Amino acid sequence: MPSLIHLLPLLALVHAQGVILSAQGSSGSPASLPLQVLLNQADANVINQAEVAGNVVNECGRTLLSGNIDIGENTETQLANKTVTSVTKGGNVDVTISPGGANGAGPYTCDVDPTSNADGVSGQLNVTVKETDSAGSIKLALTMPSDLACVGASTGNICTVRCFNTAAAGPFGGCFAVQQTDVTPAVNTPDNIKTAQTLAGINEQVAENQKDLPAAITGNQEATSGTEQEQGVLAVDNLLNIDSTASATAAIAAVSNTAAAAASTGKAKGSGTGAKGAAGAGAGAGTGKGAANGATAKGAGNAAAGNAAAGNAAAGNAKGAGAANAQAGKGGKAARAFMA
């Protein structure tokens, strides 16, 4: 199976759908960036509650180009890069989203996980959202809960905010970290962090890991570059029996055809305008104003990159001690752990 990674230069021509570009909290603080999404490529974040409930992916779902989102790792990276915005109880956060087409349109729902990485399907707190469209982007004005108490990550005061729409092909959206400044940070150590996982849940996850391991190993073996990014995409294809590369190729072809058709139409209209202007000049009208204006192809189109890899990467959703030992056995990371 060819690699989707090899198509990235072409995919970059396609706008991603429903992607969070930034989130700005308290004035003077840095803006947050989305977790794991590659903003300079045709990436997108799928947050499907069925996938989350089935313990296939973490609560932030998966990205098209890298698979399951490791919330903890990505949050710590954002903290190190100083790309985590500040918030307070009842404070506001302004989120900018690139819709990139119908699948990225609103309305969007947002919630917040005070633990940053542990509340799974139903532990999030609802966030009030006011949505507006502005110059090709979607703006979300979020109001944090009045009793907000962020306790996550190494700093002990991080929450994860999650926003997503209802697109059948997704849903699409994304996650970002926020750092609360009006709370006493928790002291998080391996000894005092509790897990909500039960023995039955751990056993169920181990059984799922064992079932998915062959597909993950196959994805690793098919990877030609050996990168974690490529392995994650191929693990998605094998776990869900899809072909992301074929879908991506079709999406790219659709963009090219749309652009070519728009260019052709524009040129034809421009020629007509020019001919009329020339005729007017020949009849003594003075000046021919028929500059061929239609050559610009404004219909570059949006190729639904979010549908290109509807897969779900499950790169290791370790929600309990047992699952942690196996690194959740899903996706490239876990497969490599087993293969080692």
Side-chain angles (χ1 to χ4, degrees):
M1 181 185 301
S3 169
L4 179 61
I5 304 304
H6 297 159
L7 295 176
L8 292 184
L10 291 175
L11 278 172
L13 299 173
V14 184
H15 293 160
Q17 335 181 54
V19 170
I20 292 176
L21 300 179
S22 66
Q24 180 64 57
S26 302
S27 177
S29 68
S32 289
L33 296 178
L35 300 184
Q36 192 166 297
V37 176
L38 302 176
L39 293 178
N40 62 341
Q41 297 176 10
D43 205 359
N45 190 169
V46 175
I47 303 177
N48 187 301
Q49 290 293 75
E51 297 171 4
V52 176
N55 207 23
V56 175
V57 294
N58 289 312
E59 61 193 73
C60 285
R62 54 186 167 83
T63 62
L64 298 181
L65 300 182
S66 301
N68 179 59
I69 296 177
D70 186 328
I71 299 171
E73 178 183 2
N74 279 273
T75 298
E76 294 301 325
T77 298
Q78 300 282 20
L79 284 169
N81 292 338
K82 301 187 184 305
T83 51
V84 177
T85 199
S86 298
V87 297
T88 57
K89 298 175 182 177
N92 298 323
V93 178
D94 294 322
V95 180
T96 301
I97 295 176
S98 172
N103 283 328
Y108 279 83
T109 299
C110 299
D111 53 33
V112 58
D113 180 352
T115 70
S116 178
N117 189 23
D119 278 347
V121 179
S122 59
Q124 288 81 7
L125 304 175
N126 290 329
V127 172
T128 301
V129 180
K130 181 179 179 180
E131 181 174 328
T132 57
D133 292 336
S134 174
S137 64
I138 296 174
K139 304 289 187 180
L140 305 181
L142 311 186
T143 302
M144 294 292 102
S146 59
D147 58 349
L148 185 68
C150 299
V151 298
S154 60
T155 59
N157 60 350
I158 300 294
C159 286
T160 298
V161 178
R162 183 177 67 167
C163 298
F164 50 92
N165 63 11
T166 58
F172 295 101
C175 285
F176 58 91
V178 296
Q179 186 168 28
Q180 187 173 357
T181 57
D182 61 346
V183 68
T184 301
V187 179
N188 296 326
T189 69
D191 294 330
N192 65 19
I193 296 177
K194 298 180 180 179
T195 175
Q197 184 66 288
T198 63
L199 178 60
I202 292 172
N203 289 336
E204 181 180 349
Q205 181 62 60
V206 170
E208 186 69 22
N209 295 344
Q210 293 172 341
K211 182 180 73 174
D212 291 340
L213 180 58
I217 291 176
T218 299
N220 282 357
Q221 293 172 338
E222 290 176 342
T224 57
S225 69
T227 63
E228 181 179 334
Q229 184 181 357
E230 183 183 22
Q231 290 168 344
V233 172
L234 291 173
V236 168
D237 285 2
N238 284 284
L239 286 167
L240 298 182
N241 195 28
I242 62 174
D243 188 342
S244 300
T245 299
S247 299
T249 302
I252 293 169
V255 170
S256 299
N257 292 338
T258 301
S264 176
T265 301
K267 288 178 181 178
K269 289 182 178 179
S271 297
T273 303
K276 290 179 181 178
T287 57
K289 296 184 179 180
N293 298 322
T296 303
K298 294 186 177 179
N302 190 320
N307 298 329
N312 101 40
N317 183 19
K319 292 190 176 180
N325 290 336
Q327 185 52 29
K330 296 182 178 181
K333 290 183 179 178
R336 288 197 306 283
F338 277 91
M339 292 173 70

mmCIF file of all heavy atoms in Angstrom, residues 265-297:
data_model
loop_
_atom_site.group_PDB
_atom_site.id
_atom_site.type_symbol
_atom_site.label_atom_id
_atom_site.label_comp_id
_atom_site.label_asym_id
_atom_site.label_seq_id
_atom_site.Cartn_x
_atom_site.Cartn_y
_atom_site.Cartn_z
ATOM 1 N N THR A 265 -13.631 28.535 -17.520
ATOM 2 C CA THR A 265 -14.796 29.418 -17.558
ATOM 3 C C THR A 265 -14.370 30.872 -17.506
ATOM 4 O O THR A 265 -14.875 31.731 -18.229
ATOM 5 C CB THR A 265 -15.739 29.104 -16.373
ATOM 6 O OG1 THR A 265 -16.151 27.748 -16.469
ATOM 7 C CG2 THR A 265 -16.961 30.018 -16.398
ATOM 8 N N GLY A 266 -13.399 31.151 -16.653
ATOM 9 C CA GLY A 266 -12.928 32.526 -16.505
ATOM 10 C C GLY A 266 -12.321 33.052 -17.781
ATOM 11 O O GLY A 266 -12.550 34.191 -18.189
ATOM 12 N N LYS A 267 -11.512 32.219 -18.458
ATOM 13 C CA LYS A 267 -10.878 32.655 -19.695
ATOM 14 C C LYS A 267 -11.916 32.932 -20.773
ATOM 15 O O LYS A 267 -11.810 33.893 -21.533
ATOM 16 C CB LYS A 267 -9.894 31.590 -20.165
ATOM 17 C CG LYS A 267 -8.629 31.502 -19.311
ATOM 18 C CD LYS A 267 -7.722 30.396 -19.790
ATOM 19 C CE LYS A 267 -6.462 30.303 -18.919
ATOM 20 N NZ LYS A 267 -5.583 29.186 -19.344
ATOM 21 N N ALA A 268 -12.921 32.063 -20.826
ATOM 22 C CA ALA A 268 -13.948 32.261 -21.855
ATOM 23 C C ALA A 268 -14.683 33.578 -21.636
ATOM 24 O O ALA A 268 -14.918 34.350 -22.565
ATOM 25 C CB ALA A 268 -14.940 31.101 -21.827
ATOM 26 N N LYS A 269 -15.011 33.868 -20.400
ATOM 27 C CA LYS A 269 -15.709 35.114 -20.105
ATOM 28 C C LYS A 269 -14.810 36.307 -20.404
ATOM 29 O O LYS A 269 -15.240 37.334 -20.894
ATOM 30 C CB LYS A 269 -16.161 35.125 -18.645
ATOM 31 C CG LYS A 269 -17.290 34.160 -18.351
ATOM 32 C CD LYS A 269 -17.715 34.256 -16.897
ATOM 33 C CE LYS A 269 -18.891 33.327 -16.615
ATOM 34 N NZ LYS A 269 -19.301 33.397 -15.190
ATOM 35 N N GLY A 270 -13.537 36.165 -20.086
ATOM 36 C CA GLY A 270 -12.604 37.260 -20.328
ATOM 37 C C GLY A 270 -12.482 37.554 -21.811
ATOM 38 O O GLY A 270 -12.441 38.706 -22.235
ATOM 39 N N SER A 271 -12.435 36.517 -22.640
ATOM 40 C CA SER A 271 -12.315 36.708 -24.085
ATOM 41 C C SER A 271 -13.522 37.457 -24.618
ATOM 42 O O SER A 271 -13.405 38.349 -25.456
ATOM 43 C CB SER A 271 -12.193 35.351 -24.788
ATOM 44 O OG SER A 271 -11.012 34.690 -24.371
ATOM 45 N N GLY A 272 -14.693 37.075 -24.111
ATOM 46 C CA GLY A 272 -15.893 37.742 -24.577
ATOM 47 C C GLY A 272 -15.870 39.219 -24.237
ATOM 48 O O GLY A 272 -16.196 40.079 -25.057
ATOM 49 N N THR A 273 -15.452 39.522 -23.045
ATOM 50 C CA THR A 273 -15.399 40.918 -22.629
ATOM 51 C C THR A 273 -14.420 41.697 -23.489
ATOM 52 O O THR A 273 -14.668 42.822 -23.921
ATOM 53 C CB THR A 273 -14.979 41.015 -21.149
ATOM 54 O OG1 THR A 273 -15.895 40.255 -20.380
ATOM 55 C CG2 THR A 273 -14.983 42.457 -20.675
ATOM 56 N N GLY A 274 -13.271 41.085 -23.777
ATOM 57 C CA GLY A 274 -12.268 41.746 -24.588
ATOM 58 C C GLY A 274 -12.780 42.002 -26.004
ATOM 59 O O GLY A 274 -12.548 43.059 -26.588
ATOM 60 N N ALA A 275 -13.484 41.018 -26.568
ATOM 61 C CA ALA A 275 -13.993 41.175 -27.924
ATOM 62 C C ALA A 275 -14.973 42.326 -28.006
ATOM 63 O O ALA A 275 -14.949 43.125 -28.948
ATOM 64 C CB ALA A 275 -14.654 39.873 -28.377
ATOM 65 N N LYS A 276 -15.823 42.421 -26.993
ATOM 66 C CA LYS A 276 -16.790 43.511 -27.000
ATOM 67 C C LYS A 276 -16.087 44.857 -26.916
ATOM 68 O O LYS A 276 -16.457 45.823 -27.561
ATOM 69 C CB LYS A 276 -17.773 43.353 -25.834
ATOM 70 C CG LYS A 276 -18.731 42.194 -26.001
ATOM 71 C CD LYS A 276 -19.666 42.079 -24.803
ATOM 72 C CE LYS A 276 -20.607 40.900 -24.944
ATOM 73 N NZ LYS A 276 -21.490 40.767 -23.762
ATOM 74 N N GLY A 277 -15.040 44.915 -26.108
ATOM 75 C CA GLY A 277 -14.309 46.176 -25.967
ATOM 76 C C GLY A 277 -13.643 46.548 -27.269
ATOM 77 O O GLY A 277 -13.644 47.717 -27.681
ATOM 78 N N ALA A 278 -13.055 45.541 -27.939
ATOM 79 C CA ALA A 278 -12.374 45.818 -29.205
ATOM 80 C C ALA A 278 -13.364 46.321 -30.246
ATOM 81 O O ALA A 278 -13.084 47.249 -31.017
ATOM 82 C CB ALA A 278 -11.668 44.568 -29.708
ATOM 83 N N ALA A 279 -14.533 45.697 -30.292
ATOM 84 C CA ALA A 279 -15.548 46.125 -31.254
ATOM 85 C C ALA A 279 -15.959 47.559 -30.987
ATOM 86 O O ALA A 279 -16.153 48.363 -31.909
ATOM 87 C CB ALA A 279 -16.772 45.196 -31.170
ATOM 88 N N GLY A 280 -16.101 47.885 -29.739
ATOM 89 C CA GLY A 280 -16.488 49.250 -29.379
ATOM 90 C C GLY A 280 -15.443 50.246 -29.843
ATOM 91 O O GLY A 280 -15.762 51.330 -30.336
ATOM 92 N N ALA A 281 -14.172 49.873 -29.698
ATOM 93 C CA ALA A 281 -13.098 50.785 -30.106
ATOM 94 C C ALA A 281 -13.121 50.957 -31.617
ATOM 95 O O ALA A 281 -12.925 52.056 -32.146
ATOM 96 C CB ALA A 281 -11.738 50.230 -29.655
ATOM 97 N N GLY A 282 -13.333 49.843 -32.375
ATOM 98 C CA GLY A 282 -13.356 49.914 -33.832
ATOM 99 C C GLY A 282 -14.491 50.780 -34.332
ATOM 100 O O GLY A 282 -14.416 51.377 -35.404
ATOM 101 N N ALA A 283 -15.581 50.858 -33.590
ATOM 102 C CA ALA A 283 -16.737 51.650 -34.002
ATOM 103 C C ALA A 283 -16.567 53.109 -33.623
ATOM 104 O O ALA A 283 -17.483 53.900 -33.771
ATOM 105 C CB ALA A 283 -18.002 51.086 -33.361
ATOM 106 N N GLY A 284 -15.421 53.472 -33.103
ATOM 107 C CA GLY A 284 -15.167 54.864 -32.762
ATOM 108 C C GLY A 284 -15.595 55.203 -31.360
ATOM 109 O O GLY A 284 -15.799 56.367 -31.041
ATOM 110 N N ALA A 285 -15.736 54.160 -30.488
ATOM 111 C CA ALA A 285 -16.153 54.437 -29.121
ATOM 112 C C ALA A 285 -15.043 55.080 -28.322
ATOM 113 O O ALA A 285 -15.257 55.549 -27.225
ATOM 114 C CB ALA A 285 -16.607 53.156 -28.442
ATOM 115 N N GLY A 286 -13.856 55.067 -28.844
ATOM 116 C CA GLY A 286 -12.756 55.747 -28.153
ATOM 117 C C GLY A 286 -11.788 54.742 -27.580
ATOM 118 O O GLY A 286 -10.708 54.572 -28.104
ATOM 119 N N THR A 287 -12.109 54.048 -26.516
ATOM 120 C CA THR A 287 -11.178 53.119 -25.870
ATOM 121 C C THR A 287 -11.809 51.756 -25.745
ATOM 122 O O THR A 287 -12.993 51.632 -25.436
ATOM 123 C CB THR A 287 -10.800 53.622 -24.465
ATOM 124 O OG1 THR A 287 -11.976 53.796 -23.715
ATOM 125 C CG2 THR A 287 -10.032 54.926 -24.535
ATOM 126 N N GLY A 288 -11.037 50.734 -25.962
ATOM 127 C CA GLY A 288 -11.531 49.374 -25.773
ATOM 128 C C GLY A 288 -11.292 48.940 -24.344
ATOM 129 O O GLY A 288 -10.164 48.796 -23.921
ATOM 130 N N LYS A 289 -12.334 48.779 -23.585
ATOM 131 C CA LYS A 289 -12.205 48.429 -22.165
ATOM 132 C C LYS A 289 -12.332 46.929 -21.944
ATOM 133 O O LYS A 289 -12.673 46.480 -20.871
ATOM 134 C CB LYS A 289 -13.268 49.159 -21.357
ATOM 135 C CG LYS A 289 -13.102 50.677 -21.405
ATOM 136 C CD LYS A 289 -14.120 51.358 -20.516
ATOM 137 C CE LYS A 289 -13.932 52.863 -20.541
ATOM 138 N NZ LYS A 289 -14.919 53.556 -19.684
ATOM 139 N N GLY A 290 -12.083 46.161 -22.970
ATOM 140 C CA GLY A 290 -12.303 44.724 -22.839
ATOM 141 C C GLY A 290 -11.085 43.984 -22.356
ATOM 142 O O GLY A 290 -10.595 43.101 -23.025
ATOM 143 N N ALA A 291 -10.549 44.340 -21.223
ATOM 144 C CA ALA A 291 -9.443 43.565 -20.647
ATOM 145 C C ALA A 291 -9.976 42.217 -20.226
ATOM 146 O O ALA A 291 -10.990 42.137 -19.561
ATOM 147 C CB ALA A 291 -8.865 44.301 -19.450
ATOM 148 N N ALA A 292 -9.309 41.165 -20.613
ATOM 149 C CA ALA A 292 -9.812 39.821 -20.313
ATOM 150 C C ALA A 292 -9.656 39.547 -18.823
ATOM 151 O O ALA A 292 -8.587 39.242 -18.335
ATOM 152 C CB ALA A 292 -9.029 38.787 -21.115
ATOM 153 N N ASN A 293 -10.779 39.685 -18.112
ATOM 154 C CA ASN A 293 -10.713 39.626 -16.652
ATOM 155 C C ASN A 293 -10.963 38.243 -16.071
ATOM 156 O O ASN A 293 -10.905 38.063 -14.871
ATOM 157 C CB ASN A 293 -11.760 40.580 -16.059
ATOM 158 C CG ASN A 293 -11.497 42.014 -16.439
ATOM 159 O OD1 ASN A 293 -10.345 42.424 -16.493
ATOM 160 N ND2 ASN A 293 -12.547 42.770 -16.727
ATOM 161 N N GLY A 294 -11.298 37.326 -16.909
ATOM 162 C CA GLY A 294 -11.764 36.072 -16.317
ATOM 163 C C GLY A 294 -10.720 35.024 -16.120
ATOM 164 O O GLY A 294 -11.049 33.877 -15.855
ATOM 165 N N ALA A 295 -9.448 35.368 -16.279
ATOM 166 C CA ALA A 295 -8.438 34.317 -16.262
ATOM 167 C C ALA A 295 -8.137 33.792 -14.876
ATOM 168 O O ALA A 295 -7.466 32.791 -14.721
ATOM 169 C CB ALA A 295 -7.145 34.850 -16.891
ATOM 170 N N THR A 296 -8.601 34.467 -13.842
ATOM 171 C CA THR A 296 -8.282 34.031 -12.481
ATOM 172 C C THR A 296 -9.243 32.946 -12.034
ATOM 173 O O THR A 296 -10.445 33.145 -12.012
ATOM 174 C CB THR A 296 -8.378 35.219 -11.506
ATOM 175 O OG1 THR A 296 -7.510 36.229 -11.962
ATOM 176 C CG2 THR A 296 -7.955 34.779 -10.111
ATOM 177 N N ALA A 297 -8.711 31.827 -11.657
ATOM 178 C CA ALA A 297 -9.571 30.725 -11.202
ATOM 179 C C ALA A 297 -9.818 30.884 -9.724
ATOM 180 O O ALA A 297 -8.957 30.629 -8.912
ATOM 181 C CB ALA A 297 -8.901 29.399 -11.485
#
